[in-house]
């Protein structure tokens, strides 16, 4: 099975976190990168939202809906590579 590319972070950014040294003393804050959810997860969430809004899909199990949503997300990521 090939590795699934996740598209990288959907909402990358930075935040300040409290920096504590090895002895437990506070040393102010430092800026660190945060990535949040992956683009693949974001696409899948949007696809699942659409699937759940479609009355034809209300008979499917959650696992089936999730598989369909990630299938769509993978197709969207592949289309971005073209």
């Amino acid at each position: 099975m090939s590795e699934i590319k996740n598209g990288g972070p959907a909402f990358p950014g930075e935040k300040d976190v409290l920096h504590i040294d090895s002895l437990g003393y506070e040393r102010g804050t430092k800026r660190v990168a945060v990535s949040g959810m992956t683009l693949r997860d974001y696409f899948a969430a949007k696809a699942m939202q659409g699937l759940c809004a479609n009355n034809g899909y209300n008979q499917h199990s959650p696992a089936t809906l999730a598989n369909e949503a990630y299938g769509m997300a993978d197709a969207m990521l592949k289309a971005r590579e073209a």
Side-chain angles (χ1 to χ4, degrees), residues 15-20 26-32:
K15 71 175 184 176
D16 292 324
V17 296
L18 184 61
H19 176 66
I20 299 175
E26 293 183 12
R27 299 294 180 195
T29 60
K30 66 179 181 177
R31 203 96 174 126
V32 297

Side-chain angles (χ1 to χ4, degrees), residues 23-58:
L23 297 175
Y25 295 103
E26 293 183 12
R27 299 294 180 195
T29 60
K30 66 179 181 177
R31 203 96 174 126
V32 297
V34 293
S35 59
M37 74 172 78
T38 67
L39 191 55
R40 182 175 186 253
D41 290 333
Y42 180 74
F43 283 167
K46 292 294 188 176
M48 182 171 273
Q49 183 178 22
L51 290 171
C52 289
N54 181 338
N55 285 334
Y57 274 87
N58 61 5

Side-chain angles (χ1 to χ4, degrees), residues 49-80:
Q49 183 178 22
L51 290 171
C52 289
N54 181 338
N55 285 334
Y57 274 87
N58 61 5
Q59 299 299 316
H60 294 283
S61 71
T64 298
L65 289 171
N67 287 329
E68 290 280 332
Y70 273 104
M72 289 181 186
D74 292 341
M76 287 187 269
L77 288 170
K78 186 171 183 163
R80 293 178 84 227

